[in-house]
């Protein structure tokens, strides 16, 4: 008969263990709630801290239920007996997701000419000066940003306040330009496939490059091809002819380049100082027509494809060694054109800002400050030009060939629903009223979870102090 009390003692210990496990389960659920509410408070605090941060996108944290244990499974019932629901106990909550609200925010005027606001969806693309973007696959080298706080650095590059260069589409010399075309020139240009523009001195390159103010022309001399000496012995005598003026804008020219996959590109390239000017489109077999904003004498054998020579910057602090044009009254047009007034009074369009779009803007990854990357969850990046600029073109001025078709991902999207506005930046999307109401509910939720911890602790104390 001694075994009976021992069995009762074992049952009592087992019941006590089950009670303790249930109570500690409640405590662990409350601890999970405390951690989750603290995470939400961190998100709220970050949103409020950035209420005046330009381009900031507010975050939102959601909860999700933690794991469940099943003490009794459910059944559908039988011919004579009804069914029953499953019996399950949950173990608290955890962080479900922390999302970014990438919807466009309010325009905030600043009065700075190159401060740029994206009126719609999309991102600026910024990166280093030596970024070699040949196609869509190279876009991962660039950072995405909604903050357009741009300025012109000492080397003429359009940069933001962190020193990252703004990427876009630059103006280049038109190799097909003919200053005084004949009727045959016009007919041949129209019949070409694709038709050639022989009337414009410059065109827009579809290579994605760090935007830069055009270079400044060197003083024209006979040595650099900018001066054609007159002939005093001619009848009548001829005077010296200057093909450009010192300080005129110098645009880059296009050079053919072939990639490892067999695609042919036309990339931007600036002429070096101390070279000799040549006729646009000229080569050793074809002297070409005239100069786009200047050129060498007819029949000049070209040293470079440039039609105008940039001046040399002798400042020892200069890293590029070339002079750029000093532009005044710079601003940004709705279609992304960056404009300014040169010293000669000419309105200069140095290039067009490119806009990046991703499949899922809310899925971009925040990397540092105002910068994002299109990583997992964001999908693909597509490059856009605004309001018909470069419509139908491919990145890198790809030469379309029948045997090497272009990648559709390299096509430049014609974005019509987005415009740029200068003189202002995008305001923070933090809604202070919403954040304060969320802070109140988060505080109360945290407080309620602490009550579960204290009540569970008191009950455990009573259980431990039980006497037989």
């Amino acid at each position: 008969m001694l075994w009976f009390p021992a069995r009762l003692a074992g049952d009592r210990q087992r019941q006590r263990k089950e009670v303790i496990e249930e109570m500690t389960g409640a405590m662990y659920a409350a601890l999970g709630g405390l951690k989750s509410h603290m995470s939400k408070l961190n998100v709220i605090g970050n949103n409020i801290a950035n209420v005046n941060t330009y381009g900031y996108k507010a975050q939102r944290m959601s909860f999700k239920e933690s794991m469940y244990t099943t003490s009794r499974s459910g059944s559908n019932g039988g011919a004579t007996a009804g069914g029953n629901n499953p019996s399950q106990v949950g173990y608290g909550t955890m962080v479900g997701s922390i999302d970014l609200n990438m919807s466009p925010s309010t325009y905030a005027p600043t009065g700075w000419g190159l401060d740029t606001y994206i009126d719609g969806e999309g991102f600026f693309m910024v990166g280093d000066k030596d970024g070699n973007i040949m196609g869509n696959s190279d876009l991962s080298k660039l950072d995405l940003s909604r903050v357009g706080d741009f300025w012109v650095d000492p080397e003429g590059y359009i940069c933001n306040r962190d020193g990252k260069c703004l990427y876009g589409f630059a103006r280049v010399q038109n190799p097909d330009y003919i200053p005084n075309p004949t009727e045959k020139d016009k007919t041949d240009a129209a019949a070409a496939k694709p038709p050639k523009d022989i009337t414009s001195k410059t065109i827009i390159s579809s290579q994605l490059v760090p935007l830069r103010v055009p270079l400044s022309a060197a003083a024209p001399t006979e040595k650099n091809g900018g001066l054609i000496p007159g002939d005093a012995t001619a009848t009548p005598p001829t005077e010296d002819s200057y093909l450009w003026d010192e300080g005129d804008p110098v645009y880059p020219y296009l050079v053919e380049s072939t990639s490892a996959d067999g695609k042919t590109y036309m990339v931007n390239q600036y002429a070096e100082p101390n070279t000799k000017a040549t006729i646009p489109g000229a080569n050793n077999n074809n002297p070409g027509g005239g100069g786009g904003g200047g050129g060498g004498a007819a029949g000049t054998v070209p040293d470079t494809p440039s039609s105008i020579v940039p001046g040399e910057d002798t400042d020892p602090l200069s890293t590029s060694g070339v002079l750029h044009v000093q532009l005044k009254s710079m601003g940004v047009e709705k279609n992304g054109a960056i404009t300014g007034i040169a010293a000669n009074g000419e309105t200069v369009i140095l290039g067009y800002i490119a806009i990046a779009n991703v499949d899922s803007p809310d899925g971009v990854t925040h990397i540092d400050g105002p910068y994002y990357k299109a990583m997992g969850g964001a999908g693909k990046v597509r490059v856009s030009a605004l309001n018909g600029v470069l419509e139908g073109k491919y990145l890198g001025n790809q030469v379309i060939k029948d045997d090497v078709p272009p990648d559709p991902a390299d096509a430049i999207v014609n974005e019509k629903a987005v415009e740029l506005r200068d003189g202002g930046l995008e305001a923070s999307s933090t809604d202070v009223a919403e954040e304060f109401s969320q802070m109140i509910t988060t505080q109360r939720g945290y407080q309620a979870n602490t009550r579960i911890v204290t009540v569970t602790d008191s009950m455990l104390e009573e259980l431990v102090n039980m006497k037989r």
Side-chain angles (χ1 to χ4, degrees), residues 118-133:
I118 301 177
D119 188 3
E121 296 185 351
F123 301 87
F124 298 111
M125 289 177 283
V126 295
D128 297 333
K129 292 180 179 179
D130 58 353
N132 185 24
I133 309 300

Side-chain angles (χ1 to χ4, degrees), residues 261 263-265 392-395 397-411:
D261 56 3
K263 294 181 180 179
T264 302
Y265 299 91
K393 302 294 184 180
Y394 290 82
L395 290 174
N397 304 288
Q398 289 190 43
V399 179
I400 308 302
K401 297 181 178 180
D402 295 335
D403 56 336
V404 185
D407 187 347
D410 293 338

Side-chain angles (χ1 to χ4, degrees), residues 125-133 141-143 151-160 162-168 170 207-213 215 268-270 313 317-322 324:
M125 289 177 283
V126 295
D128 297 333
K129 292 180 179 179
D130 58 353
N132 185 24
I133 309 300
K141 302 176 183 178
L142 303 180
D143 296 335
W151 67 297
V152 181
D153 83 342
E155 296 295 331
Y157 287 92
I158 309 299
C159 300
N160 65 11
D162 290 333
K164 294 180 181 289
C165 294
L166 172 65
Y167 274 68
Q207 185 187 7
L208 195 61
V209 296
L211 292 176
R212 187 181 190 183
V213 174
L215 302 184
N268 304 1
Q269 182 171 321
Y270 273 102
D313 189 350
L317 298 179
S318 174
T319 58
S320 61
V322 289
H324 65 273

Side-chain angles (χ1 to χ4, degrees), residues 159-374:
C159 300
N160 65 11
R161 301 298 169 171
D162 290 333
K164 294 180 181 289
C165 294
L166 172 65
Y167 274 68
F169 306 110
R171 297 194 75 88
V172 297
Q173 299 180 51
N174 182 5
D176 300 321
Y177 173 69
I178 300 176
N180 298 302
T182 64
E183 291 300 323
K184 185 179 184 303
D185 292 332
K186 297 177 182 178
T187 302
D188 293 344
K193 294 182 179 180
K196 295 182 178 180
D197 179 7
I198 62 174
T199 60
S200 299
K201 294 181 179 181
T202 60
I203 57 175
I204 308 169
S205 169
S206 66
Q207 185 187 7
L208 195 61
V209 296
L211 292 176
R212 187 181 190 183
V213 174
L215 302 184
S216 179
T221 63
E222 186 175 359
K223 181 178 179 181
N224 63 23
L227 167 62
I228 301 177
D231 187 357
T233 63
T235 305
T238 59
E239 297 181 351
D240 293 346
S241 175
Y242 295 92
L243 300 181
W244 67 77
D245 293 326
E246 184 177 7
D248 281 353
V250 180
Y251 296 95
Y253 53 87
L254 295 177
V255 176
E256 186 173 300
S257 175
T258 303
S259 64
D261 56 3
K263 294 181 180 179
T264 302
Y265 299 91
M266 300 295 292
V267 298
N268 304 1
Q269 182 171 321
Y270 273 102
E272 296 292 334
N274 303 318
T275 55
K276 190 170 184 179
T278 61
I279 302 166
N283 52 56
N284 290 330
N285 298 318
N286 176 23
T300 301
V301 177
D303 299 316
T304 72
S306 173
S307 62
I308 185 170
V309 176
E312 183 178 7
D313 189 350
T314 57
D315 187 341
L317 298 179
S318 174
T319 58
S320 61
V322 289
L323 289 170
H324 65 273
V325 174
Q326 299 291 329
L327 295 181
K328 310 297 182 182
S329 303
M330 295 187 65
V332 180
E333 304 292 337
K334 291 183 179 180
N335 63 355
I338 302 180
T339 63
I341 306 298
N344 61 3
E346 179 183 349
T347 299
V348 175
I349 299 178
L350 64 93
Y352 292 78
I353 298 174
I355 298 297
N357 289 286
V358 297
D359 295 336
S360 178
D362 294 346
V364 294
T365 301
H366 215 150
I367 54 172
D368 181 32
Y371 306 115
Y372 305 89
K373 287 283 190 184

